[in-house]
Amino acid sequence: MRKHQLRWWALAVAILAVLVDMVDNQIVVVALPTIQRQLGTGEAELQWISAGYALGFALTLITGGRLGDRYGIKRLFLLGMTVFTVASLTAGLAPNVAVLIAARVVQGIGSGLMVPQVLSFIHAEFDEAERPKAMTYYAAAFPVGGMAGPLLGGVLTQADVFGLGWRSIFLVNLPVGLVALAGALLAMPARPGFVRHRMDLGGLVLLTLGLFAIFYPLVQGRELGWPVWTIGLMLAAIPVLGLFAYQQRVLARRGGEPLMPPGLLRRRSLASAQVVMLCVNTAVGVFFVLTLHLQLGLGYTPIEAALTFLPATLGIVAGNVLAMRLAPRLGRLFTAAAVAVLLVSLAAIALLVVWLSGALNAWVLLVPAVGFGLGMGATLNALFATSMSDVRPDQAGATSGVVNTTVQLGTATGIALFGTVFFARLPGGFTSATAGTLVVSVGVLVLALVLTAALPRGAPPAPGPQAPATERPKGVSP
């Protein structure tokens, strides 16, 4: 396939979308108290202002990836960005909390349509020589956006730009969305999709129900005190997803185009990377607790708390550069070393929390914060590359959806797990609660380190030329 001349400009637009998504996922947290005062919301409604976005996003990711396979990456990216931008405008002008929550869910759906297209675009438009560099930019967008979200939210809310207060955290998406839409129209290649069969509506319904049964209790369970029905709902996901897997195999045998090709997760590079990625994203969810510790325990303002961990972005940049240079040569050894750096950094933060207690400050956290970013950037970069290493072009969208769903599932699991541990130990004081939570996070990273042994030993194999989906003989499973 002939290289698209504007592919790097198009990548910049795509990465901008990922950054906006990650920022918007976190930006609302520091503005919640202000929203509560002005709209008179209850605690459950506050939870849904934040969780509604994550739920809409998670439920749409795999479907969004597959729709990109069918209708083309550019079309779905434009559709997703349009939905996201309009929903941001609605959230910024919301007259009441019900409209705000609905707009947040629709924002998540828009992100779920556009974000999977980014990995698909990288896989389709960049060759083996260029792909590591492109993946470096992509992987960096996740932690950088996650770190920048609370800082930007604090600045916009406290600055009260044009008297808009908390509304500015949503309205700031409008110029960004318009720039991204214009950039995508000008720079992204309009290539057709691979899939020519009808959309797998049965699979879509089963997958959505299964993911909902997992994500809804995770984002709402802690707020409700984990009633029995939340556990039952998560357990119900097992037979629902089992039925989904069976339906996908039957559809593939009949020559249809399943939503998730049955052979996808049998690929060692993808399956093993997802297990490690799930653990790592769960573990770094402890950042949620660290933010609470600084603000509620030590009296930091939102901006001060965000600035404390801003040096982590330097580590993220360095980690991505290292991954680009070393991960292709060292394979799983590099990933294991990156997880180890992340583990040691979080252990150091735990020791500082206990040792210094109320005297904890940004300066003593500087080195472990940089190490935290270094380990996170290097690990995610290497795992993203491993996940996409031997995927056929016609399966890139589905694979991208799986990878991004793993990230969201890990994040939601981390917040639920660490929030539960933190608030259960809070009667003993902030130091005890935060330190105990960090110990659990370190334990999850120890598990991730052990599981890196299942990753491919060396450099991921380059995918060979494959026939597109329309050229496969009927009845042959992907």
Side-chain angles (χ1 to χ4, degrees), residues 207-278:
L207 179 63
T208 301
L209 289 175
L211 291 176
F212 180 84
I214 296 172
F215 277 96
Y216 183 86
L218 282 176
V219 299
Q220 188 72 359
R222 182 183 62 80
E223 180 73 20
L224 298 176
W226 294 105
V228 174
W229 67 263
T230 58
I231 308 301
L233 190 57
M234 283 194 285
L235 291 175
I238 298 174
V240 173
L241 292 177
L243 182 59
F244 168 73
Y246 173 76
Q247 182 263 352
Q248 296 291 281
R249 287 196 297 269
V250 171
L251 182 61
R253 284 198 299 266
R254 292 176 178 174
E257 198 67 45
L259 194 64
M260 185 185 296
L264 205 59
L265 290 177
R266 288 200 294 268
R267 299 178 185 272
R268 180 185 174 189
S269 58
L270 177 62
S272 59
Q274 296 320 289
V275 176
V276 179
M277 190 179 291
L278 178 65

Side-chain angles (χ1 to χ4, degrees), residues 293 353-354 357 421-422 425-438:
H293 180 79
V353 167
V354 174
S357 188
V421 174
F422 178 78
R425 294 176 60 91
L426 195 54
F430 277 97
T431 297
S432 172
T434 303
T437 307
L438 284 164

Side-chain angles (χ1 to χ4, degrees), residues 16 20 24 27 81-93 107 152 156 164 167-182:
L16 177 63
V20 168
D24 222 69
I27 196 172
M81 182 56 80
T82 300
V83 171
F84 177 84
T85 304
V86 172
S88 296
L89 175 61
T90 305
L93 301 178
Q107 268 189 314
L152 184 59
L156 290 175
L164 294 170
R167 298 180 185 276
S168 61
I169 68 174
F170 302 116
L171 297 177
V172 73
N173 292 331
L174 299 184
V176 178
L178 293 175
V179 168
L181 285 169

Side-chain angles (χ1 to χ4, degrees), residues 30-31 150-151 153-155 157-158 291 295 299-308:
V30 296
L151 176 61
V155 169
T157 302
Q158 289 186 215
T291 303
Q295 292 189 58
Y300 281 38
T301 67
I303 295 178
E304 289 171 340
L307 287 173
T308 299

